mmCIF file of all heavy atoms in Angstrom:
data_model
loop_
_atom_site.group_PDB
_atom_site.id
_atom_site.type_symbol
_atom_site.label_atom_id
_atom_site.label_comp_id
_atom_site.label_asym_id
_atom_site.label_seq_id
_atom_site.Cartn_x
_atom_site.Cartn_y
_atom_site.Cartn_z
ATOM 1 N N THR A 31 -15.108 -25.830 -65.011
ATOM 2 C CA THR A 31 -15.355 -26.555 -66.183
ATOM 3 C C THR A 31 -16.899 -26.333 -66.560
ATOM 4 O O THR A 31 -17.219 -26.439 -67.778
ATOM 5 C CB THR A 31 -15.205 -28.039 -66.011
ATOM 6 O OG1 THR A 31 -15.797 -28.517 -64.773
ATOM 7 C CG2 THR A 31 -13.761 -28.411 -65.965
ATOM 8 N N THR A 32 -17.671 -25.950 -65.631
ATOM 9 C CA THR A 32 -19.146 -25.799 -65.894
ATOM 10 C C THR A 32 -19.548 -24.395 -65.393
ATOM 11 O O THR A 32 -19.307 -24.064 -64.225
ATOM 12 C CB THR A 32 -20.012 -26.892 -65.259
ATOM 13 O OG1 THR A 32 -19.507 -28.151 -65.661
ATOM 14 C CG2 THR A 32 -21.450 -26.648 -65.722
ATOM 15 N N PHE A 34 -23.085 -21.712 -65.546
ATOM 16 C CA PHE A 34 -24.614 -21.717 -65.705
ATOM 17 C C PHE A 34 -24.992 -20.316 -65.997
ATOM 18 O O PHE A 34 -24.536 -19.405 -65.424
ATOM 19 C CB PHE A 34 -25.290 -22.325 -64.597
ATOM 20 C CG PHE A 34 -24.939 -23.713 -64.285
ATOM 21 C CD1 PHE A 34 -23.910 -23.992 -63.332
ATOM 22 C CD2 PHE A 34 -25.645 -24.800 -64.801
ATOM 23 C CE1 PHE A 34 -23.592 -25.263 -63.085
ATOM 24 C CE2 PHE A 34 -25.217 -26.127 -64.481
ATOM 25 C CZ PHE A 34 -24.196 -26.335 -63.587
ATOM 26 N N TYR A 36 -28.394 -17.893 -65.977
ATOM 27 C CA TYR A 36 -29.871 -17.713 -65.427
ATOM 28 C C TYR A 36 -30.374 -16.447 -65.919
ATOM 29 O O TYR A 36 -29.626 -15.500 -66.183
ATOM 30 C CB TYR A 36 -29.841 -17.746 -63.944
ATOM 31 C CG TYR A 36 -29.379 -19.117 -63.333
ATOM 32 C CD1 TYR A 36 -28.019 -19.272 -63.037
ATOM 33 C CD2 TYR A 36 -30.349 -20.085 -62.910
ATOM 34 C CE1 TYR A 36 -27.616 -20.478 -62.499
ATOM 35 C CE2 TYR A 36 -29.820 -21.297 -62.387
ATOM 36 C CZ TYR A 36 -28.525 -21.386 -62.087
ATOM 37 O OH TYR A 36 -28.064 -22.512 -61.472
ATOM 38 N N GLN A 38 -33.566 -13.710 -64.707
ATOM 39 C CA GLN A 38 -34.436 -13.407 -63.630
ATOM 40 C C GLN A 38 -35.293 -12.217 -63.914
ATOM 41 O O GLN A 38 -34.733 -11.130 -64.157
ATOM 42 C CB GLN A 38 -33.624 -13.206 -62.389
ATOM 43 C CG GLN A 38 -34.513 -12.993 -61.083
ATOM 44 C CD GLN A 38 -33.710 -12.852 -59.798
ATOM 45 O OE1 GLN A 38 -32.586 -12.303 -59.902
ATOM 46 N NE2 GLN A 38 -34.137 -13.273 -58.673
ATOM 47 N N PRO A 40 -38.210 -9.348 -62.781
ATOM 48 C CA PRO A 40 -38.549 -8.732 -61.518
ATOM 49 C C PRO A 40 -39.428 -9.499 -60.623
ATOM 50 O O PRO A 40 -40.478 -9.955 -61.005
ATOM 51 C CB PRO A 40 -39.176 -7.408 -61.988
ATOM 52 C CG PRO A 40 -38.629 -7.126 -63.326
ATOM 53 C CD PRO A 40 -38.550 -8.563 -63.959
ATOM 54 N N LYS A 41 -38.996 -9.559 -59.342
ATOM 55 C CA LYS A 41 -39.799 -10.124 -58.296
ATOM 56 C C LYS A 41 -39.946 -11.685 -58.485
ATOM 57 O O LYS A 41 -40.859 -12.257 -57.927
ATOM 58 C CB LYS A 41 -41.150 -9.481 -58.063
ATOM 59 C CG LYS A 41 -40.896 -7.990 -57.746
ATOM 60 C CD LYS A 41 -42.281 -7.442 -57.476
ATOM 61 C CE LYS A 41 -42.012 -5.944 -57.370
ATOM 62 N NZ LYS A 41 -42.232 -5.319 -56.111
ATOM 63 N N GLN A 42 -39.161 -12.266 -59.357
ATOM 64 C CA GLN A 42 -39.239 -13.700 -59.600
ATOM 65 C C GLN A 42 -37.939 -14.436 -59.248
ATOM 66 O O GLN A 42 -36.929 -13.772 -59.016
ATOM 67 C CB GLN A 42 -39.629 -14.000 -61.108
ATOM 68 C CG GLN A 42 -41.031 -13.516 -61.394
ATOM 69 C CD GLN A 42 -41.446 -13.939 -62.809
ATOM 70 O OE1 GLN A 42 -40.953 -14.844 -63.334
ATOM 71 N NE2 GLN A 42 -42.448 -13.256 -63.404
ATOM 72 N N SER A 43 -38.002 -15.665 -59.317
ATOM 73 C CA SER A 43 -36.856 -16.573 -59.091
ATOM 74 C C SER A 43 -35.980 -16.701 -60.215
ATOM 75 O O SER A 43 -36.287 -16.094 -61.332
ATOM 76 C CB SER A 43 -37.288 -17.883 -58.587
ATOM 77 O OG SER A 43 -36.221 -18.707 -58.158
ATOM 78 N N LEU A 44 -34.892 -17.333 -60.048
ATOM 79 C CA LEU A 44 -33.971 -17.632 -61.092
ATOM 80 C C LEU A 44 -34.427 -18.788 -62.065
ATOM 81 O O LEU A 44 -34.897 -19.725 -61.636
ATOM 82 C CB LEU A 44 -32.555 -17.987 -60.660
ATOM 83 C CG LEU A 44 -31.667 -16.814 -60.232
ATOM 84 C CD1 LEU A 44 -32.137 -16.182 -58.927
ATOM 85 C CD2 LEU A 44 -30.188 -17.349 -59.986
ATOM 86 N N LEU A 46 -33.035 -21.241 -64.976
ATOM 87 C CA LEU A 46 -31.814 -21.683 -65.778
ATOM 88 C C LEU A 46 -32.109 -21.590 -67.299
ATOM 89 O O LEU A 46 -33.046 -22.061 -67.790
ATOM 90 C CB LEU A 46 -31.549 -23.098 -65.329
ATOM 91 C CG LEU A 46 -30.313 -23.729 -66.037
ATOM 92 C CD1 LEU A 46 -28.985 -22.952 -65.567
ATOM 93 C CD2 LEU A 46 -30.217 -25.157 -65.585
ATOM 94 N N THR A 49 -26.560 -24.561 -69.614
ATOM 95 C CA THR A 49 -25.347 -25.041 -68.894
ATOM 96 C C THR A 49 -24.184 -24.846 -69.928
ATOM 97 O O THR A 49 -24.248 -25.409 -71.108
ATOM 98 C CB THR A 49 -25.519 -26.506 -68.512
ATOM 99 O OG1 THR A 49 -26.647 -26.598 -67.647
ATOM 100 C CG2 THR A 49 -24.267 -26.977 -67.807
ATOM 101 N N GLU A 59 -31.830 -25.224 -71.851
ATOM 102 C CA GLU A 59 -33.038 -25.653 -71.328
ATOM 103 C C GLU A 59 -34.195 -25.603 -72.260
ATOM 104 O O GLU A 59 -34.112 -24.756 -73.288
ATOM 105 C CB GLU A 59 -33.429 -24.847 -70.068
ATOM 106 C CG GLU A 59 -32.404 -25.076 -68.890
ATOM 107 C CD GLU A 59 -32.277 -26.489 -68.444
ATOM 108 O OE1 GLU A 59 -33.334 -27.112 -68.040
ATOM 109 O OE2 GLU A 59 -31.162 -27.057 -68.559
ATOM 110 N N PHE A 91 -32.637 -9.503 -65.981
ATOM 111 C CA PHE A 91 -31.382 -9.567 -65.103
ATOM 112 C C PHE A 91 -30.866 -10.942 -65.436
ATOM 113 O O PHE A 91 -31.438 -11.998 -65.224
ATOM 114 C CB PHE A 91 -31.830 -9.436 -63.640
ATOM 115 C CG PHE A 91 -30.623 -9.169 -62.775
ATOM 116 C CD1 PHE A 91 -29.763 -8.205 -62.959
ATOM 117 C CD2 PHE A 91 -30.559 -9.997 -61.472
ATOM 118 C CE1 PHE A 91 -28.628 -7.970 -62.071
ATOM 119 C CE2 PHE A 91 -29.408 -9.710 -60.659
ATOM 120 C CZ PHE A 91 -28.522 -8.730 -60.915
ATOM 121 N N ILE A 93 -27.845 -13.667 -64.757
ATOM 122 C CA ILE A 93 -26.959 -14.064 -63.753
ATOM 123 C C ILE A 93 -26.216 -15.294 -64.186
ATOM 124 O O ILE A 93 -26.846 -16.234 -64.699
ATOM 125 C CB ILE A 93 -27.614 -14.407 -62.342
ATOM 126 C CG1 ILE A 93 -28.467 -13.085 -61.961
ATOM 127 C CG2 ILE A 93 -26.591 -14.723 -61.335
ATOM 128 C CD1 ILE A 93 -29.310 -13.402 -60.758
ATOM 129 N N SER A 97 -19.078 -23.352 -61.352
ATOM 130 C CA SER A 97 -18.994 -24.496 -60.489
ATOM 131 C C SER A 97 -17.472 -24.833 -60.390
ATOM 132 O O SER A 97 -16.766 -25.163 -61.375
ATOM 133 C CB SER A 97 -19.744 -25.780 -61.109
ATOM 134 O OG SER A 97 -19.568 -26.862 -60.250
ATOM 135 N N ASN A 98 -17.054 -24.806 -59.187
ATOM 136 C CA ASN A 98 -15.554 -25.080 -58.862
ATOM 137 C C ASN A 98 -15.346 -26.517 -59.301
ATOM 138 O O ASN A 98 -15.993 -27.443 -58.804
ATOM 139 C CB ASN A 98 -15.272 -24.790 -57.356
ATOM 140 C CG ASN A 98 -13.812 -24.987 -57.132
ATOM 141 O OD1 ASN A 98 -13.164 -25.905 -57.470
ATOM 142 N ND2 ASN A 98 -13.151 -23.920 -56.451
ATOM 143 N N TYR A 102 -17.032 -28.554 -56.535
ATOM 144 C CA TYR A 102 -18.408 -28.566 -57.125
ATOM 145 C C TYR A 102 -19.345 -27.645 -56.495
ATOM 146 O O TYR A 102 -20.566 -27.664 -56.787
ATOM 147 C CB TYR A 102 -19.039 -30.016 -57.055
ATOM 148 C CG TYR A 102 -18.238 -31.083 -57.972
ATOM 149 C CD1 TYR A 102 -17.426 -31.949 -57.343
ATOM 150 C CD2 TYR A 102 -18.336 -31.090 -59.313
ATOM 151 C CE1 TYR A 102 -16.721 -32.909 -58.075
ATOM 152 C CE2 TYR A 102 -17.621 -31.945 -60.062
ATOM 153 C CZ TYR A 102 -16.763 -32.831 -59.470
ATOM 154 O OH TYR A 102 -16.114 -33.719 -60.223
ATOM 155 N N GLU A 103 -18.809 -26.724 -55.768
ATOM 156 C CA GLU A 103 -19.680 -25.692 -55.164
ATOM 157 C C GLU A 103 -19.960 -24.644 -56.280
ATOM 158 O O GLU A 103 -19.060 -24.396 -57.112
ATOM 159 C CB GLU A 103 -18.953 -24.918 -53.991
ATOM 160 C CG GLU A 103 -18.872 -25.789 -52.690
ATOM 161 C CD GLU A 103 -20.130 -25.867 -51.978
ATOM 162 O OE1 GLU A 103 -21.173 -25.285 -52.348
ATOM 163 O OE2 GLU A 103 -20.137 -26.497 -50.915
ATOM 164 N N GLN A 104 -21.182 -24.122 -56.303
ATOM 165 C CA GLN A 104 -21.524 -23.114 -57.307
ATOM 166 C C GLN A 104 -21.487 -21.764 -56.692
ATOM 167 O O GLN A 104 -22.006 -21.539 -55.608
ATOM 168 C CB GLN A 104 -22.899 -23.441 -57.838
ATOM 169 C CG GLN A 104 -22.931 -23.729 -59.255
ATOM 170 C CD GLN A 104 -24.381 -23.962 -59.750
ATOM 171 O OE1 GLN A 104 -25.116 -22.859 -60.051
ATOM 172 N NE2 GLN A 104 -24.788 -25.120 -59.891
ATOM 173 N N TYR A 105 -20.817 -20.822 -57.413
ATOM 174 C CA TYR A 105 -20.752 -19.496 -56.919
ATOM 175 C C TYR A 105 -21.302 -18.526 -58.032
ATOM 176 O O TYR A 105 -21.156 -18.763 -59.179
ATOM 177 C CB TYR A 105 -19.286 -19.116 -56.745
ATOM 178 C CG TYR A 105 -18.611 -19.959 -55.682
ATOM 179 C CD1 TYR A 105 -17.891 -21.132 -56.069
ATOM 180 C CD2 TYR A 105 -18.784 -19.684 -54.351
ATOM 181 C CE1 TYR A 105 -17.369 -21.916 -55.118
ATOM 182 C CE2 TYR A 105 -18.089 -20.471 -53.335
ATOM 183 C CZ TYR A 105 -17.483 -21.683 -53.853
ATOM 184 O OH TYR A 105 -16.869 -22.461 -52.807
ATOM 185 N N PHE A 106 -22.138 -17.537 -57.547
ATOM 186 C CA PHE A 106 -22.836 -16.696 -58.449
ATOM 187 C C PHE A 106 -22.167 -15.426 -58.686
ATOM 188 O O PHE A 106 -21.506 -14.829 -57.805
ATOM 189 C CB PHE A 106 -24.278 -16.443 -57.875
ATOM 190 C CG PHE A 106 -25.159 -17.685 -58.064
ATOM 191 C CD1 PHE A 106 -25.112 -18.739 -57.111
ATOM 192 C CD2 PHE A 106 -26.020 -17.804 -59.081
ATOM 193 C CE1 PHE A 106 -25.861 -19.806 -57.294
ATOM 194 C CE2 PHE A 106 -26.858 -18.846 -59.214
ATOM 195 C CZ PHE A 106 -26.824 -19.926 -58.358
ATOM 196 N N GLY A 107 -22.367 -14.901 -59.919
ATOM 197 C CA GLY A 107 -21.885 -13.597 -60.286
ATOM 198 C C GLY A 107 -22.984 -12.539 -59.767
ATOM 199 O O GLY A 107 -23.998 -12.885 -59.325
ATOM 200 N N PRO A 108 -22.525 -11.316 -59.827
ATOM 201 C CA PRO A 108 -23.437 -10.178 -59.340
ATOM 202 C C PRO A 108 -24.451 -9.868 -60.389
ATOM 203 O O PRO A 108 -25.361 -9.065 -59.927
ATOM 204 C CB PRO A 108 -22.382 -8.990 -59.239
ATOM 205 C CG PRO A 108 -21.398 -9.292 -60.265
ATOM 206 C CD PRO A 108 -21.265 -10.741 -60.310
ATOM 207 N N GLY A 109 -24.601 -10.422 -61.497
ATOM 208 C CA GLY A 109 -25.687 -10.113 -62.364
ATOM 209 C C GLY A 109 -25.386 -9.004 -63.327
ATOM 210 O O GLY A 109 -24.568 -8.176 -63.074
ATOM 211 N N ARG A 111 -27.783 -6.330 -65.685
ATOM 212 C CA ARG A 111 -29.094 -5.831 -66.024
ATOM 213 C C ARG A 111 -29.054 -5.288 -67.493
ATOM 214 O O ARG A 111 -28.297 -4.403 -67.858
ATOM 215 C CB ARG A 111 -29.389 -4.628 -65.082
ATOM 216 C CG ARG A 111 -30.658 -3.799 -65.433
ATOM 217 C CD ARG A 111 -31.898 -4.434 -64.980
ATOM 218 N NE ARG A 111 -31.914 -4.812 -63.579
ATOM 219 C CZ ARG A 111 -32.676 -5.662 -63.030
ATOM 220 N NH1 ARG A 111 -33.624 -6.289 -63.834
ATOM 221 N NH2 ARG A 111 -32.599 -5.925 -61.704
ATOM 222 N N GLN B 6 -42.026 -22.501 -52.750
ATOM 223 C CA GLN B 6 -41.648 -21.792 -51.510
ATOM 224 C C GLN B 6 -42.891 -21.137 -50.864
ATOM 225 O O GLN B 6 -43.704 -20.581 -51.675
ATOM 226 C CB GLN B 6 -40.558 -20.830 -51.646
ATOM 227 C CG GLN B 6 -39.183 -21.472 -51.744
ATOM 228 C CD GLN B 6 -38.045 -20.440 -51.876
ATOM 229 O OE1 GLN B 6 -37.312 -20.478 -52.827
ATOM 230 N NE2 GLN B 6 -37.995 -19.607 -50.865
ATOM 231 N N GLN B 9 -44.861 -16.629 -50.181
ATOM 232 C CA GLN B 9 -44.309 -15.880 -51.310
ATOM 233 C C GLN B 9 -43.719 -14.543 -50.915
ATOM 234 O O GLN B 9 -42.686 -14.088 -51.247
ATOM 235 C CB GLN B 9 -45.233 -15.706 -52.433
ATOM 236 C CG GLN B 9 -44.640 -15.206 -53.679
ATOM 237 C CD GLN B 9 -45.690 -15.057 -54.760
ATOM 238 O OE1 GLN B 9 -46.865 -15.438 -54.640
ATOM 239 N NE2 GLN B 9 -45.252 -14.595 -55.982
ATOM 240 N N PHE B 10 -44.444 -13.837 -50.008
ATOM 241 C CA PHE B 10 -44.132 -12.591 -49.441
ATOM 242 C C PHE B 10 -44.303 -12.701 -47.887
ATOM 243 O O PHE B 10 -45.311 -13.240 -47.467
ATOM 244 C CB PHE B 10 -44.942 -11.491 -49.984
ATOM 245 C CG PHE B 10 -44.815 -11.324 -51.462
ATOM 246 C CD1 PHE B 10 -45.776 -11.844 -52.301
ATOM 247 C CD2 PHE B 10 -43.751 -10.541 -51.984
ATOM 248 C CE1 PHE B 10 -45.706 -11.702 -53.724
ATOM 249 C CE2 PHE B 10 -43.705 -10.393 -53.397
ATOM 250 C CZ PHE B 10 -44.683 -10.983 -54.258
ATOM 251 N N GLN B 33 -29.803 -26.227 -51.127
ATOM 252 C CA GLN B 33 -29.014 -25.026 -50.741
ATOM 253 C C GLN B 33 -30.164 -23.884 -50.473
ATOM 254 O O GLN B 33 -31.099 -23.800 -51.124
ATOM 255 C CB GLN B 33 -28.037 -24.592 -51.753
ATOM 256 C CG GLN B 33 -27.057 -25.714 -52.014
ATOM 257 C CD GLN B 33 -26.075 -25.373 -53.051
ATOM 258 O OE1 GLN B 33 -26.442 -24.703 -54.058
ATOM 259 N NE2 GLN B 33 -24.859 -25.764 -52.891
ATOM 260 N N TYR B 35 -30.166 -19.616 -50.404
ATOM 261 C CA TYR B 35 -29.457 -18.372 -50.813
ATOM 262 C C TYR B 35 -30.328 -17.220 -50.275
ATOM 263 O O TYR B 35 -31.559 -17.197 -50.189
ATOM 264 C CB TYR B 35 -29.381 -18.280 -52.285
ATOM 265 C CG TYR B 35 -28.487 -19.325 -53.044
ATOM 266 C CD1 TYR B 35 -29.030 -20.600 -53.268
ATOM 267 C CD2 TYR B 35 -27.212 -19.089 -53.300
ATOM 268 C CE1 TYR B 35 -28.185 -21.669 -53.847
ATOM 269 C CE2 TYR B 35 -26.387 -20.031 -53.909
ATOM 270 C CZ TYR B 35 -26.909 -21.225 -54.157
ATOM 271 O OH TYR B 35 -26.158 -22.219 -54.789
ATOM 272 N N GLN B 37 -30.755 -13.167 -51.697
ATOM 273 C CA GLN B 37 -30.392 -12.223 -52.802
ATOM 274 C C GLN B 37 -30.963 -10.927 -52.533
ATOM 275 O O GLN B 37 -32.025 -10.741 -52.051
ATOM 276 C CB GLN B 37 -31.003 -12.763 -54.108
ATOM 277 C CG GLN B 37 -30.611 -11.894 -55.318
ATOM 278 C CD GLN B 37 -31.275 -12.379 -56.566
ATOM 279 O OE1 GLN B 37 -32.352 -13.070 -56.505
ATOM 280 N NE2 GLN B 37 -30.703 -12.081 -57.685
ATOM 281 N N GLY B 40 -30.598 -6.284 -57.301
ATOM 282 C CA GLY B 40 -29.497 -5.919 -58.236
ATOM 283 C C GLY B 40 -28.164 -6.649 -57.937
ATOM 284 O O GLY B 40 -27.176 -6.314 -58.492
ATOM 285 N N GLU B 41 -28.311 -7.801 -57.178
ATOM 286 C CA GLU B 41 -27.072 -8.583 -56.941
ATOM 287 C C GLU B 41 -27.434 -9.983 -57.137
ATOM 288 O O GLU B 41 -28.556 -10.418 -57.319
ATOM 289 C CB GLU B 41 -26.646 -8.325 -55.490
ATOM 290 C CG GLU B 41 -26.295 -6.888 -55.166
ATOM 291 C CD GLU B 41 -25.768 -6.748 -53.792
ATOM 292 O OE1 GLU B 41 -25.577 -7.803 -52.968
ATOM 293 O OE2 GLU B 41 -25.688 -5.558 -53.266
ATOM 294 N N GLY B 42 -26.353 -10.779 -57.219
ATOM 295 C CA GLY B 42 -26.490 -12.279 -57.378
ATOM 296 C C GLY B 42 -26.831 -12.889 -56.084
ATOM 297 O O GLY B 42 -26.641 -12.341 -55.058
ATOM 298 N N PRO B 43 -27.326 -14.120 -56.097
ATOM 299 C CA PRO B 43 -27.577 -14.873 -54.811
ATOM 300 C C PRO B 43 -26.350 -15.166 -54.070
ATOM 301 O O PRO B 43 -25.267 -15.507 -54.691
ATOM 302 C CB PRO B 43 -28.232 -16.162 -55.290
ATOM 303 C CG PRO B 43 -28.597 -15.966 -56.776
ATOM 304 C CD PRO B 43 -27.628 -14.971 -57.223
ATOM 305 N N VAL B 44 -26.455 -15.204 -52.769
ATOM 306 C CA VAL B 44 -25.252 -15.517 -51.931
ATOM 307 C C VAL B 44 -25.663 -16.719 -51.104
ATOM 308 O O VAL B 44 -26.770 -16.824 -50.518
ATOM 309 C CB VAL B 44 -24.906 -14.356 -50.928
ATOM 310 C CG1 VAL B 44 -23.866 -14.772 -49.951
ATOM 311 C CG2 VAL B 44 -24.556 -13.105 -51.765
ATOM 312 N N LEU B 45 -24.795 -17.795 -51.097
ATOM 313 C CA LEU B 45 -25.068 -19.058 -50.485
ATOM 314 C C LEU B 45 -25.016 -18.860 -48.980
ATOM 315 O O LEU B 45 -24.116 -18.335 -48.432
ATOM 316 C CB LEU B 45 -24.017 -20.043 -50.950
ATOM 317 C CG LEU B 45 -24.178 -21.447 -50.336
ATOM 318 C CD1 LEU B 45 -25.513 -22.103 -50.696
ATOM 319 C CD2 LEU B 45 -23.019 -22.339 -50.716
ATOM 320 N N THR B 48 -25.694 -25.390 -47.245
ATOM 321 C CA THR B 48 -26.068 -26.476 -47.964
ATOM 322 C C THR B 48 -26.383 -27.637 -46.966
ATOM 323 O O THR B 48 -25.639 -27.898 -46.021
ATOM 324 C CB THR B 48 -24.786 -26.927 -48.871
ATOM 325 O OG1 THR B 48 -24.509 -25.941 -49.774
ATOM 326 C CG2 THR B 48 -25.182 -28.268 -49.599
ATOM 327 N N LEU B 86 -34.629 -11.555 -50.666
ATOM 328 C CA LEU B 86 -35.203 -12.596 -51.386
ATOM 329 C C LEU B 86 -34.536 -13.836 -50.969
ATOM 330 O O LEU B 86 -33.334 -14.069 -51.260
ATOM 331 C CB LEU B 86 -35.206 -12.430 -52.978
ATOM 332 C CG LEU B 86 -35.793 -13.529 -53.763
ATOM 333 C CD1 LEU B 86 -37.343 -13.640 -53.500
ATOM 334 C CD2 LEU B 86 -35.513 -13.294 -55.191
ATOM 335 N N LEU B 88 -34.110 -17.866 -51.442
ATOM 336 C CA LEU B 88 -34.252 -18.932 -52.436
ATOM 337 C C LEU B 88 -33.729 -20.243 -51.928
ATOM 338 O O LEU B 88 -32.626 -20.255 -51.579
ATOM 339 C CB LEU B 88 -33.486 -18.457 -53.741
ATOM 340 C CG LEU B 88 -34.072 -17.212 -54.437
ATOM 341 C CD1 LEU B 88 -32.865 -16.639 -55.348
ATOM 342 C CD2 LEU B 88 -35.287 -17.410 -55.140
ATOM 343 N N CYS B 89 -34.504 -21.266 -52.139
ATOM 344 C CA CYS B 89 -33.938 -22.575 -51.943
ATOM 345 C C CYS B 89 -33.634 -23.167 -53.381
ATOM 346 O O CYS B 89 -34.228 -22.684 -54.392
ATOM 347 C CB CYS B 89 -34.936 -23.471 -51.264
ATOM 348 S SG CYS B 89 -36.486 -23.815 -52.077
ATOM 349 N N LYS B 92 -30.345 -29.935 -55.866
ATOM 350 C CA LYS B 92 -29.621 -30.824 -56.847
ATOM 351 C C LYS B 92 -30.373 -32.184 -56.868
ATOM 352 O O LYS B 92 -30.500 -32.845 -55.836
ATOM 353 C CB LYS B 92 -28.150 -31.028 -56.531
ATOM 354 C CG LYS B 92 -27.327 -29.817 -56.799
ATOM 355 C CD LYS B 92 -25.834 -30.162 -56.649
ATOM 356 C CE LYS B 92 -24.991 -28.989 -56.831
ATOM 357 N NZ LYS B 92 -23.523 -29.213 -56.651
ATOM 358 N N PRO B 95 -25.884 -36.019 -56.796
ATOM 359 C CA PRO B 95 -24.523 -35.431 -56.503
ATOM 360 C C PRO B 95 -23.791 -35.196 -57.833
ATOM 361 O O PRO B 95 -22.988 -34.230 -57.912
ATOM 362 C CB PRO B 95 -23.823 -36.533 -55.682
ATOM 363 C CG PRO B 95 -24.906 -37.274 -55.149
ATOM 364 C CD PRO B 95 -26.026 -37.321 -56.037
ATOM 365 N N GLU B 98 -24.680 -31.117 -61.476
ATOM 366 C CA GLU B 98 -24.391 -29.848 -60.951
ATOM 367 C C GLU B 98 -25.464 -28.840 -61.126
ATOM 368 O O GLU B 98 -25.527 -27.775 -60.502
ATOM 369 C CB GLU B 98 -23.193 -29.267 -61.564
ATOM 370 C CG GLU B 98 -21.861 -30.109 -61.326
ATOM 371 C CD GLU B 98 -20.675 -29.526 -62.106
ATOM 372 O OE1 GLU B 98 -20.462 -29.933 -63.261
ATOM 373 O OE2 GLU B 98 -19.950 -28.814 -61.537
ATOM 374 N N LYS B 99 -26.534 -29.186 -61.947
ATOM 375 C CA LYS B 99 -27.577 -28.329 -62.242
ATOM 376 C C LYS B 99 -28.393 -28.043 -60.972
ATOM 377 O O LYS B 99 -28.758 -28.990 -60.222
ATOM 378 C CB LYS B 99 -28.457 -28.860 -63.301
ATOM 379 C CG LYS B 99 -29.084 -27.864 -64.201
ATOM 380 C CD LYS B 99 -29.509 -28.396 -65.495
ATOM 381 C CE LYS B 99 -30.705 -29.233 -65.432
ATOM 382 N NZ LYS B 99 -31.234 -29.567 -66.776
ATOM 383 N N LEU B 100 -28.782 -26.800 -60.718
ATOM 384 C CA LEU B 100 -29.647 -26.442 -59.550
ATOM 385 C C LEU B 100 -31.016 -26.034 -60.001
ATOM 386 O O LEU B 100 -31.244 -25.374 -61.000
ATOM 387 C CB LEU B 100 -29.071 -25.192 -58.902
ATOM 388 C CG LEU B 100 -27.847 -25.419 -57.946
ATOM 389 C CD1 LEU B 100 -27.351 -24.023 -57.496
ATOM 390 C CD2 LEU B 100 -28.219 -26.300 -56.804
ATOM 391 N N PHE B 102 -34.133 -24.019 -58.843
ATOM 392 C CA PHE B 102 -34.395 -23.031 -57.828
ATOM 393 C C PHE B 102 -35.913 -22.995 -57.511
ATOM 394 O O PHE B 102 -36.838 -23.335 -58.205
ATOM 395 C CB PHE B 102 -34.057 -21.662 -58.391
ATOM 396 C CG PHE B 102 -32.582 -21.216 -58.131
ATOM 397 C CD1 PHE B 102 -31.753 -21.586 -58.965
ATOM 398 C CD2 PHE B 102 -32.301 -20.513 -56.914
ATOM 399 C CE1 PHE B 102 -30.379 -21.202 -58.715
ATOM 400 C CE2 PHE B 102 -30.988 -20.301 -56.660
ATOM 401 C CZ PHE B 102 -30.042 -20.533 -57.561
ATOM 402 N N GLY B 103 -36.189 -22.654 -56.182
ATOM 403 C CA GLY B 103 -37.429 -22.472 -55.759
ATOM 404 C C GLY B 103 -38.110 -21.197 -56.110
ATOM 405 O O GLY B 103 -37.439 -20.371 -56.810
ATOM 406 N N THR B 104 -39.285 -21.054 -55.833
ATOM 407 C CA THR B 104 -40.174 -19.864 -56.387
ATOM 408 C C THR B 104 -39.741 -18.584 -55.565
ATOM 409 O O THR B 104 -40.131 -17.515 -56.033
ATOM 410 C CB THR B 104 -41.635 -20.159 -56.274
ATOM 411 O OG1 THR B 104 -41.900 -20.567 -54.859
ATOM 412 C CG2 THR B 104 -42.096 -21.109 -57.275
ATOM 413 N N GLY B 105 -39.100 -18.639 -54.508
ATOM 414 C CA GLY B 105 -38.667 -17.551 -53.827
ATOM 415 C C GLY B 105 -39.559 -17.020 -52.681
ATOM 416 O O GLY B 105 -40.783 -17.164 -52.840
ATOM 417 N N ARG B 107 -40.013 -13.398 -50.610
ATOM 418 C CA ARG B 107 -39.412 -12.077 -50.278
ATOM 419 C C ARG B 107 -39.836 -11.620 -48.934
ATOM 420 O O ARG B 107 -41.000 -11.430 -48.573
ATOM 421 C CB ARG B 107 -40.103 -11.101 -51.337
ATOM 422 C CG ARG B 107 -39.448 -9.704 -51.366
ATOM 423 C CD ARG B 107 -39.743 -8.882 -52.620
ATOM 424 N NE ARG B 107 -39.167 -9.541 -53.792
ATOM 425 C CZ ARG B 107 -37.877 -9.372 -54.121
ATOM 426 N NH1 ARG B 107 -37.129 -8.593 -53.505
ATOM 427 N NH2 ARG B 107 -37.425 -9.961 -55.265
#
Side-chain angles (χ1 to χ4, degrees):
Chain A
T31 46
T32 307
F34 300 89
Y36 296 85
Q38 186 177 31
K41 301 185 190 247
Q42 293 188 23
S43 186
L44 278 69
L46 180 65
T49 302
E59 295 299 301
F91 194 51
I93 304 174
S97 182
N98 187 312
Y102 297 105
E103 289 282 357
Q104 242 183 80
Y105 300 94
F106 285 81
R111 169 83 49 201
Chain B
Q6 286 184 236
Q9 187 178 0
F10 299 96
Q33 300 178 324
Y35 294 84
Q37 185 183 24
E41 299 181 11
V44 175
L45 178 65
T48 300
L86 178 66
L88 297 161
C89 64
K92 283 189 184 180
E98 295 176 274
K99 210 160 72 167
L100 284 173
F102 272 87
T104 47
R107 188 161 296 278

